[in-house]
Amino acid sequence: MSVIRPATIDDVPAILRMIHDLAIYEKEPDAVKNTPEMLSDVLFGDNPRVYATMAENAGGEVQGFALWFLNYSTWEGVHGIYLEDLYVVPDARGEGHGKALLQYLAATAVERGYARVEWSVLNWNEPSIRFYKNIGAYPMAEWSTFRLAGDALESFGSAATDKALSRG
C-alpha cells in the first residue's frame, strides 16, 4: 500500500538523495548541482513554484517522490502539471508507488481544472514507457523537446541588448 502526501521540509534530504539516484539511473551521475539549501528554497521558500509529493509505505518509509510544477496551455486556457521527476526506490518498484503518485497528480489536475499532466521520458527507458502506456499515457510523437542550456544559453542570452529586452 502506498501513502501519498505533500512533501515537508524534513523530506529534503530524502528527495535530494533520490534525485542523485535518478541521475545515476539516467546515466548522468555527476550532473546534479542541486543542494539541500537550493531545494528547500524552491520547495518551501517565500513563493514556491515547484512542488514535491511523497510516496511512503505503510510503515512510513519514503519509497518515492514526484517533483512537479505548473505549465500553461494557450489553447486550453488553463494550467497543467509538468512532472519533472518521478522516482521510486528500486526495492519498492512494482508495489504501486509510482502509479499512486501519478494518480495523485491526475486527481490534483482534475480537482483544479487543469488540462493535462505531462512529462518527458528517455527513449531507452522501456520499463517506464511500458508503465506509462499501461496507465493510458501516450507519447507526443510529432513533438520534440528542445533545450537551451549551459554555454549556448549564456552565449545566446548575452547577445541580447538592453534595448531589445524590457525587464519589468
Side-chain angles (χ1 to χ4, degrees):
M1 180 180 100
S2 191
V3 176
I4 305 300
R5 62 169 177 78
T8 68
I9 199 156
D10 293 334
D11 292 312
V12 167
I15 295 168
L16 196 54
R17 184 187 73 247
M18 289 185 284
I19 289 171
H20 281 277
D21 291 346
L22 179 59
I24 292 167
Y25 177 77
E26 292 184 351
K27 304 174 185 175
E28 294 279 349
D30 300 320
V32 178
K33 295 176 178 71
N34 209 341
T35 67
E37 296 78 20
M38 292 166 68
L39 192 56
S40 294
D41 186 52
V42 76
L43 290 172
F44 304 106
D46 291 337
N47 191 18
R49 293 188 178 133
V50 177
Y51 311 94
T53 304
M54 308 302 291
E56 296 179 339
N57 63 16
E61 298 168 300
V62 171
Q63 301 297 297
F65 80 105
L67 193 127
W68 54 281
F69 53 89
L70 298 183
N71 58 19
Y72 182 77
S73 169
T74 57
W75 290 9
E76 296 283 340
V78 296
H79 284 291
I81 289 174
Y82 187 84
L83 174 61
E84 179 67 22
D85 285 336
L86 175 69
Y87 185 78
V88 174
V89 297
D91 291 345
R93 292 182 186 154
E95 296 177 6
H97 302 294
K99 183 177 181 180
L101 284 163
L102 282 171
Q103 283 178 319
Y104 177 90
L105 294 181
T108 299
V110 170
E111 176 184 298
R112 297 180 185 179
Y114 299 162
R116 58 191 176 212
V117 176
E118 292 183 315
W119 61 92
S120 297
V121 61
L122 291 164
N123 291 333
W124 58 259
N125 193 345
E126 283 298 323
S128 293
I129 292 169
R130 280 193 305 275
F131 168 66
Y132 297 144
K133 286 181 176 180
N134 189 47
I135 65 166
Y138 56 91
M140 301 292 292
E142 294 183 14
W143 294 84
S144 294
T145 301
F146 281 76
R147 178 173 292 164
L148 188 58
D151 291 342
L153 175 65
E154 287 200 29
S155 176
F156 191 66
S158 68
T161 66
D162 288 336
K163 290 180 184 178
L165 296 177
S166 173
R167 304 227 190 263

